Amino acid sequence: MAVPEIIPIAHEPDYRTSTIGRFSDGQFLASITYAFPDGFTMGDGWEEHKRLFVVLHKFDHGGHHQESDIWCAGTWAEQMKHPLDEDSVVARAEARLTANLAALAEREYCNIAIRPFRLTVDGVLFGLVTECHDDDGDGEDDWAELYPDGLGFTSPWNGEYDT
């Protein structure tokens, strides 16, 4: 089944889509996620390349991408040096996400429905990108992947995702 123009994403409290919903200006999708730059090959020093991002995507009421706030809190290497510090990479990320969400007027956590979009920041792909998972690659797009979070959406297009 082809990818619909507007893709539903189900709100799941206490899980990967716990910070999505609506606000006065439209819809939002927020997360904290580790990512490597596109094309990165694992090897020595990988810890310096694995970065923790705080992501806030905003959409209008019709699901069109409006803007994104994408901020790097630091690397895996930094986090491992001071994992329990109040100023650790993870603590900084959580504080930034909390502040970003608090700034959304009339915020409500709930299901959303957005259109595919993509952007690259610091060499990392962000967005909801449609893809074809046919073995021969000749078919139509049948999948939408949220990057870099690794959430996949497909038929029956009910907002549930695969990881």
Side-chain angles (χ1 to χ4, degrees):
M1 178 186 272
V3 176
E5 285 185 38
I6 300 175
I7 300 167
I9 301 176
H11 174 251
E12 289 189 303
D14 301 320
Y15 204 54
R16 302 277 303 274
T17 56
S18 64
T19 50
I20 68 170
R22 299 185 180 281
F23 71 114
S24 60
D25 292 338
Q27 303 176 77
F28 66 92
L29 187 157
S31 68
I32 297 175
T33 186
Y34 275 103
F36 288 102
D38 289 346
F40 176 78
T41 304
M42 195 61 93
D44 289 341
W46 66 268
E47 302 90 346
E48 293 293 336
H49 297 276
K50 184 176 182 179
R51 295 172 285 167
L52 187 62
F53 289 94
V54 178
V55 180
L56 174 62
H57 299 298
K58 294 180 185 177
F59 308 87
D60 66 16
H61 295 285
H64 296 94
H65 179 253
Q66 299 296 299
E67 64 180 334
S68 294
D69 180 316
I70 299 171
W71 180 73
C72 180
T75 66
W76 179 257
E78 291 174 78
Q79 177 62 26
M80 292 300 92
K81 287 178 187 171
H82 307 286
L84 302 177
D85 274 7
E86 61 186 37
D87 192 38
S88 71
V89 171
V90 169
R92 290 193 306 257
E94 289 171 349
R96 175 74 175 239
L97 179 65
T98 298
N100 284 353
L101 292 170
L104 297 174
E106 301 172 33
R107 180 185 72 249
E108 168 192 10
Y109 297 109
C110 60
N111 298 344
I112 62 173
I114 61 174
R115 298 170 188 271
F117 71 102
R118 69 184 312 141
L119 62 145
T120 301
V121 175
D122 293 335
V124 176
L125 174 62
F126 292 87
L128 184 62
V129 180
T130 60
E131 300 173 345
C132 178
H133 282 176
D134 256 353
D135 288 336
D136 58 15
D138 292 335
E140 62 185 8
D141 287 346
D142 60 352
W143 182 269
E145 181 87 11
L146 182 63
Y147 284 96
D149 300 75
L151 304 182
F153 301 87
T154 191
S155 178
W157 303 107
N158 59 6
E160 295 178 3
Y161 56 86
D162 290 322
T163 56

Short mmCIF file of all heavy atoms in Angstrom, two decimals, residues 17-75:
data_model
loop_
_atom_site.label_atom_id
_atom_site.label_comp_id
_atom_site.label_asym_id
_atom_site.label_seq_id
_atom_site.Cartn_x
_atom_site.Cartn_y
_atom_site.Cartn_z
N THR A 17 7.18 7.83 21.44
CA THR A 17 6.41 8.97 20.93
C THR A 17 5.65 9.66 22.05
O THR A 17 4.53 10.14 21.87
CB THR A 17 5.44 8.53 19.80
OG1 THR A 17 4.59 7.49 20.30
CG2 THR A 17 6.20 8.06 18.57
N SER A 18 6.28 9.75 23.21
CA SER A 18 5.62 10.38 24.36
C SER A 18 5.60 11.91 24.26
O SER A 18 4.78 12.55 24.91
CB SER A 18 6.30 9.96 25.65
OG SER A 18 7.63 10.42 25.68
N THR A 19 6.48 12.48 23.44
CA THR A 19 6.57 13.94 23.35
C THR A 19 6.15 14.42 21.96
O THR A 19 6.91 15.10 21.26
CB THR A 19 7.99 14.43 23.71
OG1 THR A 19 8.94 13.67 22.95
CG2 THR A 19 8.27 14.26 25.20
N ILE A 20 4.94 14.03 21.57
CA ILE A 20 4.33 14.53 20.34
C ILE A 20 2.95 15.06 20.70
O ILE A 20 2.37 14.68 21.71
CB ILE A 20 4.21 13.45 19.24
CG1 ILE A 20 3.19 12.37 19.63
CG2 ILE A 20 5.57 12.84 18.94
CD1 ILE A 20 2.84 11.41 18.50
N GLY A 21 2.44 15.96 19.86
CA GLY A 21 1.10 16.46 20.13
C GLY A 21 0.78 17.72 19.36
O GLY A 21 1.33 17.99 18.28
N ARG A 22 -0.12 18.49 19.94
CA ARG A 22 -0.59 19.73 19.33
C ARG A 22 -0.31 20.90 20.26
O ARG A 22 -0.21 20.73 21.48
CB ARG A 22 -2.09 19.64 19.05
CG ARG A 22 -2.44 18.53 18.10
CD ARG A 22 -3.92 18.53 17.72
NE ARG A 22 -4.19 17.43 16.80
CZ ARG A 22 -3.93 17.44 15.51
NH1 ARG A 22 -3.39 18.51 14.97
NH2 ARG A 22 -4.21 16.40 14.75
N PHE A 23 -0.19 22.08 19.66
CA PHE A 23 -0.05 23.31 20.42
C PHE A 23 -0.79 24.39 19.65
O PHE A 23 -1.38 24.12 18.60
CB PHE A 23 1.43 23.64 20.70
CG PHE A 23 2.23 24.08 19.51
CD1 PHE A 23 2.73 25.37 19.44
CD2 PHE A 23 2.51 23.21 18.46
CE1 PHE A 23 3.50 25.79 18.35
CE2 PHE A 23 3.26 23.62 17.38
CZ PHE A 23 3.76 24.91 17.32
N SER A 24 -0.77 25.60 20.14
CA SER A 24 -1.60 26.65 19.56
C SER A 24 -1.34 26.89 18.07
O SER A 24 -2.26 27.20 17.32
CB SER A 24 -1.42 27.97 20.33
OG SER A 24 -0.06 28.38 20.29
N ASP A 25 -0.10 26.71 17.62
CA ASP A 25 0.25 26.99 16.23
C ASP A 25 0.21 25.76 15.33
O ASP A 25 0.52 25.86 14.15
CB ASP A 25 1.65 27.62 16.14
CG ASP A 25 1.68 29.01 16.73
OD1 ASP A 25 0.62 29.66 16.82
OD2 ASP A 25 2.78 29.45 17.13
N GLY A 26 -0.09 24.58 15.88
CA GLY A 26 -0.12 23.39 15.03
C GLY A 26 0.21 22.13 15.79
O GLY A 26 -0.36 21.85 16.85
N GLN A 27 1.17 21.37 15.25
CA GLN A 27 1.57 20.08 15.82
C GLN A 27 3.08 20.11 16.10
O GLN A 27 3.80 20.90 15.50
CB GLN A 27 1.25 18.95 14.84
CG GLN A 27 -0.22 18.89 14.43
CD GLN A 27 -0.46 17.82 13.39
OE1 GLN A 27 -0.50 16.65 13.72
NE2 GLN A 27 -0.61 18.23 12.14
N PHE A 28 3.51 19.19 16.97
CA PHE A 28 4.94 19.11 17.25
C PHE A 28 5.33 17.65 17.43
O PHE A 28 4.53 16.78 17.76
CB PHE A 28 5.32 19.91 18.49
CG PHE A 28 4.74 19.38 19.78
CD1 PHE A 28 5.46 18.47 20.55
CD2 PHE A 28 3.49 19.79 20.22
CE1 PHE A 28 4.93 17.97 21.73
CE2 PHE A 28 2.95 19.30 21.40
CZ PHE A 28 3.67 18.39 22.15
N LEU A 29 6.61 17.41 17.18
CA LEU A 29 7.23 16.10 17.38
C LEU A 29 8.59 16.38 17.99
O LEU A 29 9.41 17.07 17.38
CB LEU A 29 7.37 15.39 16.04
CG LEU A 29 7.85 13.93 16.04
CD1 LEU A 29 7.39 13.26 14.75
CD2 LEU A 29 9.33 13.81 16.18
N ALA A 30 8.81 15.90 19.20
CA ALA A 30 10.06 16.18 19.91
C ALA A 30 10.69 14.88 20.38
O ALA A 30 9.99 13.91 20.67
CB ALA A 30 9.79 17.10 21.10
N SER A 31 12.02 14.88 20.45
CA SER A 31 12.71 13.69 20.93
C SER A 31 14.14 14.03 21.33
O SER A 31 14.66 15.10 20.99
CB SER A 31 12.73 12.58 19.87
OG SER A 31 13.54 12.95 18.78
N ILE A 32 14.73 13.09 22.04
CA ILE A 32 16.17 13.09 22.31
C ILE A 32 16.68 11.82 21.66
O ILE A 32 16.17 10.73 21.93
CB ILE A 32 16.47 13.10 23.82
CG1 ILE A 32 15.94 14.37 24.47
CG2 ILE A 32 17.97 12.93 24.06
CD1 ILE A 32 16.09 14.40 25.99
N THR A 33 17.69 11.95 20.79
CA THR A 33 18.15 10.78 20.05
C THR A 33 19.64 10.88 19.74
O THR A 33 20.15 11.95 19.43
CB THR A 33 17.33 10.62 18.75
OG1 THR A 33 17.69 9.42 18.10
CG2 THR A 33 17.50 11.80 17.82
N TYR A 34 20.31 9.75 19.86
CA TYR A 34 21.70 9.67 19.42
C TYR A 34 21.74 9.43 17.92
O TYR A 34 20.85 8.77 17.37
CB TYR A 34 22.43 8.50 20.11
CG TYR A 34 22.99 8.85 21.47
CD1 TYR A 34 22.36 8.43 22.63
CD2 TYR A 34 24.16 9.61 21.59
CE1 TYR A 34 22.88 8.74 23.88
CE2 TYR A 34 24.68 9.92 22.83
CZ TYR A 34 24.03 9.48 23.97
OH TYR A 34 24.57 9.80 25.20
N ALA A 35 22.76 9.95 17.25
CA ALA A 35 22.91 9.75 15.81
C ALA A 35 24.37 9.91 15.40
O ALA A 35 25.14 10.64 16.02
CB ALA A 35 22.06 10.76 15.04
N PHE A 36 24.70 9.18 14.35
CA PHE A 36 25.99 9.32 13.68
C PHE A 36 25.78 10.14 12.42
O PHE A 36 24.70 10.09 11.82
CB PHE A 36 26.55 7.95 13.27
CG PHE A 36 27.03 7.11 14.41
CD1 PHE A 36 26.25 6.07 14.89
CD2 PHE A 36 28.26 7.34 14.99
CE1 PHE A 36 26.70 5.27 15.93
CE2 PHE A 36 28.71 6.55 16.05
CZ PHE A 36 27.93 5.52 16.52
N PRO A 37 26.78 10.85 11.93
CA PRO A 37 26.66 11.55 10.66
C PRO A 37 26.44 10.54 9.52
O PRO A 37 26.90 9.39 9.60
CB PRO A 37 28.01 12.26 10.48
CG PRO A 37 28.73 12.13 11.76
CD PRO A 37 28.10 11.04 12.55
N ASP A 38 25.73 10.97 8.49
CA ASP A 38 25.51 10.12 7.32
C ASP A 38 26.84 9.65 6.76
O ASP A 38 27.80 10.42 6.69
CB ASP A 38 24.73 10.86 6.24
CG ASP A 38 23.27 11.09 6.61
OD1 ASP A 38 22.79 10.46 7.58
OD2 ASP A 38 22.62 11.90 5.95
N GLY A 39 26.92 8.39 6.42
CA GLY A 39 28.12 7.83 5.83
C GLY A 39 29.18 7.43 6.83
O GLY A 39 30.25 6.95 6.44
N PHE A 40 28.91 7.59 8.12
CA PHE A 40 29.90 7.23 9.13
C PHE A 40 30.16 5.73 9.11
O PHE A 40 29.24 4.92 9.02
CB PHE A 40 29.42 7.65 10.52
CG PHE A 40 30.35 7.22 11.62
CD1 PHE A 40 31.53 7.91 11.86
CD2 PHE A 40 30.07 6.12 12.40
CE1 PHE A 40 32.40 7.52 12.86
CE2 PHE A 40 30.93 5.71 13.40
CZ PHE A 40 32.10 6.41 13.63
N THR A 41 31.42 5.35 9.21
CA THR A 41 31.82 3.95 9.29
C THR A 41 32.39 3.69 10.67
O THR A 41 33.30 4.40 11.12
CB THR A 41 32.88 3.62 8.21
OG1 THR A 41 32.35 3.97 6.94
CG2 THR A 41 33.24 2.16 8.24
N MET A 42 31.87 2.67 11.34
CA MET A 42 32.29 2.35 12.70
C MET A 42 33.78 1.99 12.73
O MET A 42 34.27 1.29 11.85
CB MET A 42 31.45 1.19 13.23
CG MET A 42 31.53 1.00 14.71
SD MET A 42 30.95 2.42 15.65
CE MET A 42 29.26 1.98 15.91
N GLY A 43 34.47 2.48 13.72
CA GLY A 43 35.89 2.20 13.90
C GLY A 43 36.37 2.86 15.18
O GLY A 43 35.58 3.33 16.00
N ASP A 44 37.67 2.91 15.34
CA ASP A 44 38.24 3.56 16.52
C ASP A 44 37.76 5.00 16.60
O ASP A 44 37.65 5.69 15.59
CB ASP A 44 39.77 3.55 16.45
CG ASP A 44 40.35 2.16 16.65
OD1 ASP A 44 39.64 1.29 17.18
OD2 ASP A 44 41.52 1.95 16.28
N GLY A 45 37.45 5.43 17.82
CA GLY A 45 37.01 6.80 18.03
C GLY A 45 35.55 7.05 17.73
O GLY A 45 35.11 8.20 17.70
N TRP A 46 34.78 5.98 17.54
CA TRP A 46 33.36 6.15 17.22
C TRP A 46 32.62 6.95 18.28
O TRP A 46 31.66 7.65 17.98
CB TRP A 46 32.69 4.79 17.03
CG TRP A 46 32.63 3.95 18.28
CD1 TRP A 46 33.55 3.02 18.69
CD2 TRP A 46 31.61 3.97 19.27
NE1 TRP A 46 33.16 2.47 19.89
CE2 TRP A 46 31.96 3.04 20.26
CE3 TRP A 46 30.43 4.69 19.43
CZ2 TRP A 46 31.20 2.80 21.40
CZ3 TRP A 46 29.65 4.45 20.57
CH2 TRP A 46 30.04 3.51 21.52
N GLU A 47 33.10 6.89 19.52
CA GLU A 47 32.41 7.57 20.62
C GLU A 47 32.35 9.08 20.42
O GLU A 47 31.44 9.73 20.91
CB GLU A 47 33.12 7.27 21.95
CG GLU A 47 33.20 5.80 22.29
CD GLU A 47 34.46 5.10 21.76
OE1 GLU A 47 35.16 5.67 20.90
OE2 GLU A 47 34.74 3.98 22.22
N GLU A 48 33.33 9.62 19.70
CA GLU A 48 33.36 11.06 19.43
C GLU A 48 32.38 11.45 18.32
O GLU A 48 32.05 12.63 18.16
CB GLU A 48 34.77 11.51 19.03
CG GLU A 48 35.78 11.41 20.14
CD GLU A 48 35.52 12.40 21.28
OE1 GLU A 48 34.87 13.44 21.07
OE2 GLU A 48 35.95 12.10 22.41
N HIS A 49 31.93 10.49 17.54
CA HIS A 49 31.03 10.77 16.41
C HIS A 49 29.57 10.52 16.74
O HIS A 49 28.69 10.98 16.02
CB HIS A 49 31.45 9.93 15.20
CG HIS A 49 32.81 10.26 14.71
ND1 HIS A 49 33.05 11.30 13.84
CD2 HIS A 49 34.02 9.71 14.99
CE1 HIS A 49 34.35 11.37 13.60
NE2 HIS A 49 34.95 10.42 14.28
N LYS A 50 29.30 9.76 17.80
CA LYS A 50 27.93 9.49 18.22
C LYS A 50 27.47 10.66 19.07
O LYS A 50 27.94 10.87 20.19
CB LYS A 50 27.87 8.18 19.01
CG LYS A 50 26.47 7.78 19.39
CD LYS A 50 26.47 6.43 20.09
CE LYS A 50 25.07 5.98 20.43
NZ LYS A 50 25.07 4.67 21.10
N ARG A 51 26.54 11.45 18.50
CA ARG A 51 26.12 12.69 19.15
C ARG A 51 24.66 12.60 19.62
O ARG A 51 23.84 11.99 18.96
CB ARG A 51 26.29 13.87 18.19
CG ARG A 51 27.76 14.10 17.86
CD ARG A 51 27.94 15.10 16.78
NE ARG A 51 27.59 14.48 15.50
CZ ARG A 51 27.40 15.13 14.38
NH1 ARG A 51 27.49 16.44 14.34
NH2 ARG A 51 27.09 14.50 13.28
N LEU A 52 24.38 13.24 20.74
CA LEU A 52 23.03 13.26 21.29
C LEU A 52 22.36 14.57 20.89
O LEU A 52 22.85 15.65 21.19
CB LEU A 52 23.07 13.14 22.82
CG LEU A 52 21.71 12.99 23.50
CD1 LEU A 52 21.01 11.71 23.04
CD2 LEU A 52 21.87 12.99 25.02
N PHE A 53 21.23 14.43 20.19
CA PHE A 53 20.49 15.58 19.69
C PHE A 53 19.16 15.74 20.41
O PHE A 53 18.49 14.75 20.72
CB PHE A 53 20.20 15.43 18.19
CG PHE A 53 21.42 15.57 17.33
CD1 PHE A 53 22.13 14.44 16.94
CD2 PHE A 53 21.86 16.81 16.90
CE1 PHE A 53 23.24 14.55 16.14
CE2 PHE A 53 22.98 16.93 16.10
CZ PHE A 53 23.68 15.79 15.72
N VAL A 54 18.80 16.99 20.64
CA VAL A 54 17.46 17.34 21.10
C VAL A 54 16.75 17.91 19.88
O VAL A 54 17.26 18.84 19.23
CB VAL A 54 17.51 18.39 22.23
CG1 VAL A 54 16.10 18.79 22.65
CG2 VAL A 54 18.32 17.87 23.40
N VAL A 55 15.60 17.33 19.55
CA VAL A 55 14.91 17.66 18.31
C VAL A 55 13.50 18.15 18.63
O VAL A 55 12.78 17.53 19.42
CB VAL A 55 14.81 16.41 17.41
CG1 VAL A 55 14.09 16.73 16.12
CG2 VAL A 55 16.19 15.83 17.14
N LEU A 56 13.12 19.27 18.03
CA LEU A 56 11.74 19.75 18.09
C LEU A 56 11.34 20.17 16.68
O LEU A 56 11.85 21.16 16.16
CB LEU A 56 11.59 20.92 19.06
CG LEU A 56 10.20 21.57 19.07
CD1 LEU A 56 9.12 20.57 19.52
CD2 LEU A 56 10.19 22.81 19.95
N HIS A 57 10.48 19.36 16.07
CA HIS A 57 9.92 19.70 14.76
C HIS A 57 8.54 20.29 14.99
O HIS A 57 7.76 19.76 15.79
CB HIS A 57 9.77 18.46 13.88
CG HIS A 57 11.04 17.73 13.58
ND1 HIS A 57 12.09 18.30 12.90
CD2 HIS A 57 11.42 16.46 13.87
CE1 HIS A 57 13.06 17.41 12.78
NE2 HIS A 57 12.68 16.29 13.36
N LYS A 58 8.24 21.37 14.26
CA LYS A 58 6.91 21.99 14.33
C LYS A 58 6.25 21.90 12.96
O LYS A 58 6.91 22.06 11.93
CB LYS A 58 7.03 23.46 14.75
CG LYS A 58 7.55 23.65 16.15
CD LYS A 58 7.64 25.13 16.48
CE LYS A 58 8.28 25.38 17.81
NZ LYS A 58 8.42 26.83 18.06
N PHE A 59 4.94 21.68 12.99
CA PHE A 59 4.12 21.53 11.79
C PHE A 59 2.88 22.40 11.93
O PHE A 59 2.42 22.66 13.05
CB PHE A 59 3.69 20.07 11.63
CG PHE A 59 4.83 19.10 11.71
CD1 PHE A 59 5.25 18.60 12.93
CD2 PHE A 59 5.51 18.70 10.57
CE1 PHE A 59 6.33 17.73 13.03
CE2 PHE A 59 6.58 17.83 10.65
CZ PHE A 59 6.99 17.34 11.88
N ASP A 60 2.32 22.82 10.78
CA ASP A 60 1.06 23.54 10.86
C ASP A 60 -0.05 22.53 11.15
O ASP A 60 0.18 21.33 11.27
CB ASP A 60 0.81 24.37 9.60
CG ASP A 60 0.62 23.55 8.33
OD1 ASP A 60 0.37 22.32 8.41
OD2 ASP A 60 0.70 24.16 7.24
N HIS A 61 -1.28 23.02 11.25
CA HIS A 61 -2.40 22.14 11.58
C HIS A 61 -2.64 21.10 10.49
O HIS A 61 -3.18 20.03 10.76
CB HIS A 61 -3.67 22.97 11.84
CG HIS A 61 -3.55 23.83 13.06
ND1 HIS A 61 -3.63 23.33 14.34
CD2 HIS A 61 -3.33 25.17 13.19
CE1 HIS A 61 -3.47 24.33 15.21
NE2 HIS A 61 -3.29 25.44 14.54
N GLY A 62 -2.22 21.38 9.24
CA GLY A 62 -2.38 20.45 8.13
C GLY A 62 -1.23 19.46 7.99
O GLY A 62 -1.20 18.66 7.06
N GLY A 63 -0.25 19.51 8.91
CA GLY A 63 0.85 18.57 8.90
C GLY A 63 2.06 18.97 8.07
O GLY A 63 3.00 18.18 7.94
N HIS A 64 2.08 20.19 7.54
CA HIS A 64 3.24 20.67 6.78
C HIS A 64 4.35 21.10 7.73
O HIS A 64 4.09 21.87 8.67
CB HIS A 64 2.86 21.87 5.90
CG HIS A 64 1.87 21.56 4.85
ND1 HIS A 64 0.52 21.74 5.03
CD2 HIS A 64 2.03 21.09 3.60
CE1 HIS A 64 -0.12 21.40 3.93
NE2 HIS A 64 0.77 20.98 3.05
N HIS A 65 5.57 20.65 7.47
CA HIS A 65 6.71 21.03 8.29
C HIS A 65 6.92 22.54 8.22
O HIS A 65 6.94 23.12 7.14
CB HIS A 65 7.97 20.30 7.80
CG HIS A 65 9.19 20.64 8.57
ND1 HIS A 65 10.19 21.43 8.05
CD2 HIS A 65 9.58 20.31 9.83
CE1 HIS A 65 11.14 21.57 8.96
NE2 HIS A 65 10.80 20.89 10.05
N GLN A 66 7.08 23.17 9.37
CA GLN A 66 7.28 24.61 9.44
C GLN A 66 8.71 24.97 9.83
O GLN A 66 9.32 25.83 9.20
CB GLN A 66 6.31 25.24 10.46
CG GLN A 66 4.85 25.04 10.09
CD GLN A 66 4.49 25.72 8.80
OE1 GLN A 66 4.60 26.93 8.68
NE2 GLN A 66 4.10 24.94 7.80
N GLU A 67 9.21 24.32 10.87
CA GLU A 67 10.57 24.62 11.33
C GLU A 67 11.04 23.52 12.27
O GLU A 67 10.23 22.75 12.79
CB GLU A 67 10.65 25.97 12.02
CG GLU A 67 9.84 26.06 13.29
CD GLU A 67 9.95 27.43 13.96
OE1 GLU A 67 10.97 28.12 13.77
OE2 GLU A 67 9.02 27.80 14.69
N SER A 68 12.32 23.49 12.50
CA SER A 68 12.91 22.53 13.42
C SER A 68 13.96 23.22 14.29
O SER A 68 14.70 24.07 13.81
CB SER A 68 13.57 21.37 12.66
OG SER A 68 12.61 20.61 11.97
N ASP A 69 14.00 22.84 15.54
CA ASP A 69 15.06 23.26 16.45
C ASP A 69 15.83 21.97 16.76
O ASP A 69 15.29 21.06 17.40
CB ASP A 69 14.44 23.85 17.72
CG ASP A 69 15.50 24.31 18.72
OD1 ASP A 69 16.48 23.57 18.95
OD2 ASP A 69 15.33 25.39 19.30
N ILE A 70 17.05 21.89 16.28
CA ILE A 70 17.88 20.70 16.47
C ILE A 70 19.17 21.15 17.14
O ILE A 70 19.89 22.00 16.61
CB ILE A 70 18.15 20.00 15.12
CG1 ILE A 70 16.82 19.57 14.50
CG2 ILE A 70 19.10 18.83 15.30
CD1 ILE A 70 16.92 19.06 13.08
N TRP A 71 19.43 20.58 18.31
CA TRP A 71 20.55 21.01 19.13
C TRP A 71 21.34 19.81 19.60
O TRP A 71 20.77 18.83 20.08
CB TRP A 71 20.01 21.79 20.32
CG TRP A 71 21.04 22.30 21.27
CD1 TRP A 71 21.91 23.34 21.06
CD2 TRP A 71 21.29 21.82 22.58
NE1 TRP A 71 22.70 23.52 22.18
CE2 TRP A 71 22.33 22.60 23.12
CE3 TRP A 71 20.75 20.80 23.35
CZ2 TRP A 71 22.84 22.39 24.40
CZ3 TRP A 71 21.25 20.59 24.63
CH2 TRP A 71 22.28 21.38 25.14
N CYS A 72 22.66 19.87 19.46
CA CYS A 72 23.54 18.79 19.90
C CYS A 72 23.98 19.06 21.33
O CYS A 72 24.62 20.08 21.61
CB CYS A 72 24.75 18.67 18.97
SG CYS A 72 25.87 17.34 19.47
N ALA A 73 23.66 18.12 22.22
CA ALA A 73 24.01 18.25 23.63
C ALA A 73 25.43 17.79 23.91
O ALA A 73 26.01 18.16 24.94
CB ALA A 73 23.03 17.46 24.49
N GLY A 74 26.00 16.96 23.02
CA GLY A 74 27.35 16.45 23.21
C GLY A 74 27.50 15.07 22.63
O GLY A 74 26.60 14.57 21.95
N THR A 75 28.61 14.44 22.91
CA THR A 75 28.92 13.14 22.32
C THR A 75 28.80 12.03 23.37
O THR A 75 28.77 12.28 24.58
CB THR A 75 30.35 13.11 21.75
OG1 THR A 75 31.27 13.24 22.85
CG2 THR A 75 30.57 14.22 20.73
#
